[in-house]
Amino acid sequence: MILELDCGNSFIKWRVLRSDGVTPVEGGVVSSDDDLLASLSDAEKFQLEKCRLVSVRTPDETDSLVASLVGAFGVSVARAVPARDMAGVKNGYEEYERLGLDRWLALLGGFHLASGACLVLDFGTAVTADFVAADGEHLGGFICPGMPLMRNQLRTHTRRIRYDDTAAERAHESLAPGRATVEAVERGCMLMLRGFVLTQLELAKQYWGKDFEVFLTGGDAGLVSGVVPDAKVAPDLVFVGLAMACPLS
Ligand SMILES: Nc1ncnc2c1ncn2[C@@H]1O[C@H](COP(=O)(O)OP(=O)(O)O)[C@@H](O)[C@H]1O
Ligand SMILES: CC(C)(COP(=O)(O)O)[C@@H](O)C(=O)NCCC(=O)O
Ligand SMILES: [K+]
C-alpha cells in the first residue's frame, strides 16, 4: 500500500491508499512523528511499499521523519520538491522554490479539479490564499496567521485573556458580540477569518468575474465554509497535488 503524508507546521496528515494509488484505506491527523509511527504500527494491516510526502518543516525535521519511516517499514520515500512549472501551472513566485510546498500542491490540485481559474484558501497554522488564472498562471497569494496563531498570540501577549479549549468551542455557537472574554476573542478571530475570505473572493471576482472555483482546505476550513456556499471543501487537496507531483513510478 501507499502512504501519503502532509507535514504541516502543527500536524501531520496521513493517508494510506491501496497499491493502485487511488483507493483510500485509512487516514488521520497526528501531532508528532512518534504518534504517526504508532498509528501505522500495524504494519501487517497496511503492508506499506511506498511513501510520498510533502513537508513545510525544516530539512532536518523532514530527514528525521523519512529515516524513521525507512527504518520502521522499509518503504521507499518520494518527497515533493519545488518546481517552476507543473501540470500546466506556472509558479508565480519570483523565487519559485520559496513558495510553500503545501501551497504549491494545493493549487496544482485546485487547478486540476477546476480545469480553470481558481482561488485556493488553506486554513492551517497559517491561512493562505492562492490565485491561479485560467491559463495556469499562478498570480501569487497571501499569508496570514490562522485561528490557532491568532488565539494564542492574544493568550500569550496579554495578561487578562485566559480561557480553555472547551470554553472556546462553546463560544462558536454564535457570532453575536461577546459578553465574556472567551466569546469576544473567539468570535473576533472568527470574523477576521471570514473577512479575509470575503476580501479574497472580491479580488477573484475583479480578476475573473464569476468564472472561477473556490477551494477550501486545511484543518479549520469548516470555520468559514458558511460564508462561501459555492466553495468546494476539499480536505485532501494537498494530496491531490501530491499525487501529481510524485507519481508512482
Ligand atoms: N482531527 C484534527 N486534529 C487536529 N486539528 C484539527 C483536526 N481537525 C481540525 N483541526 C484544526 O485544524 C487546525 C490545523 O490545521 P492543519 O491544516 O492541520 O494545520 P497545519 O497544516 O499548519 O499543521 C487546528 O487549528 C485545528 O483546529
Ligand atoms: C505559509 C506556510 C507557513 C503555511 O503552513 P501551514 O499553515 O500549512 O503549516 C507554509 O506554506 C510556508 O512555510 N511557506 C513558505 C513561505 C511562502 O509560502 O511564501
Ligand atoms: K497545510
Side-chain angles (χ1 to χ4, degrees), residues 1-7 13 15 48-56 62-63 65-67 69-70 74-82 86 101 105 238-239 241-249:
M1 294 190 187
I2 319 294
L3 172 64
E4 297 187 320
L5 302 176
D6 169 10
C7 308
K13 278 65 69 181
R15 185 164 98 156
L48 300 176
E49 306 139 55
K50 291 179 184 170
C51 167
R52 56 187 169 205
L53 70 82
V54 57
S55 173
V56 292
T62 310
D63 289 347
L65 173 58
V66 168
L69 291 168
V70 171
V75 284
S76 63
V77 180
R79 294 194 216 188
V81 293
M86 185 172 286
L101 278 171
L105 296 189
V238 170
F239 288 137
L242 181 63
M244 296 164 69
C246 300
L248 301 167
S249 48

Side-chain angles (χ1 to χ4, degrees), residues 42-199:
D42 200 353
E44 291 286 293
K45 180 161 98 185
F46 292 130
Q47 298 188 331
L48 300 176
E49 306 139 55
K50 291 179 184 170
C51 167
R52 56 187 169 205
L53 70 82
V54 57
S55 173
V56 292
R57 301 182 170 192
T58 64
D60 280 356
E61 287 172 299
T62 310
D63 289 347
S64 159
L65 173 58
V66 168
S68 302
L69 291 168
V70 171
F73 309 112
V75 284
S76 63
V77 180
R79 294 194 216 188
V81 293
R84 205 186 292 279
D85 300 275
M86 185 172 286
V89 182
K90 184 164 172 280
N91 189 318
Y93 262 30
E94 286 157 20
E95 297 177 83
Y96 71 91
E97 64 281 5
R98 294 200 182 268
L99 175 68
L101 278 171
D102 54 350
R103 295 174 60 193
W104 174 238
L105 296 189
L107 70 88
L108 283 182
F111 184 72
H112 173 71
L113 296 177
S115 318
C118 63
L119 166 62
V120 177
L121 301 169
D122 188 325
F123 300 85
T125 311
V127 169
T128 60
D130 280 286
F131 293 77
V132 187
D135 64 358
E137 189 180 349
H138 171 225
L139 306 181
F142 299 96
I143 304 174
C144 299
M147 196 65 175
L149 283 185
M150 288 199 275
R151 145 189 318 135
N152 288 335
Q153 284 296 94
L154 283 166
R155 287 204 270 206
T156 53
H157 291 269
T158 62
R159 290 174 176 74
R160 291 171 197 271
I161 296 181
R162 296 282 182 276
Y163 56 82
D164 59 39
D165 293 345
T166 326
E169 213 166 296
R170 234 181 301 123
H172 287 284
E173 282 163 6
S174 135
L175 278 176
R179 288 167 170 271
T181 304
V182 59
E183 294 175 0
V185 171
E186 288 295 317
R187 294 175 192 173
C189 293
M190 178 79 96
L191 291 176
M192 298 260 294
L193 279 195
R194 293 184 176 207
F196 177 84
V197 170
L198 294 176
T199 306

